[in-house]
Amino acid sequence: MYATTGTIQGNTVLTDDYSLERYNGRKVIITVLEEEKQYNTVSDEKLFALSDSLISQNLEAYKELAK
């Protein structure tokens, strides 16, 4: 699993993260953040725990995406 940030322009997500090239062709899940709303940063440990929890809860959906 990999996470990065970018902006949406039309039907394209723009990012300066060139390491994404190794993921070329893979399916992704995009989360759009509302700019008007403030958001807090969290530690990597909390982020990984939340990510693992979401993956566990949505395992069947991820299996469908992988097909």
Side-chain angles (χ1 to χ4, degrees):
M1 186 171 199
Y2 183 80
T4 190
T5 59
T7 56
I8 297 174
Q9 186 176 59
N11 289 340
T12 304
V13 176
L14 305 175
T15 181
D16 290 330
D17 190 344
Y18 296 103
S19 65
L20 286 175
E21 290 178 10
R22 68 178 181 211
Y23 298 106
N24 190 30
R26 293 192 186 178
K27 295 178 181 179
V28 297
I29 297 172
I30 298 172
T31 301
V32 178
L33 301 174
E34 298 293 336
E35 291 201 29
E36 300 86 37
K37 297 178 182 177
Q38 295 294 323
Y39 55 92
N40 297 322
T41 59
V42 296
S43 69
D44 287 346
E45 293 81 15
K46 286 183 181 179
L47 181 62
F48 293 144
L50 177 60
S51 175
D52 290 345
S53 173
L54 289 171
I55 290 169
S56 295
Q57 291 174 24
N58 296 295
L59 194 54
E60 289 304 313
Y62 287 114
K63 287 179 183 177
E64 282 297 314
L65 281 174
K67 289 182 181 179

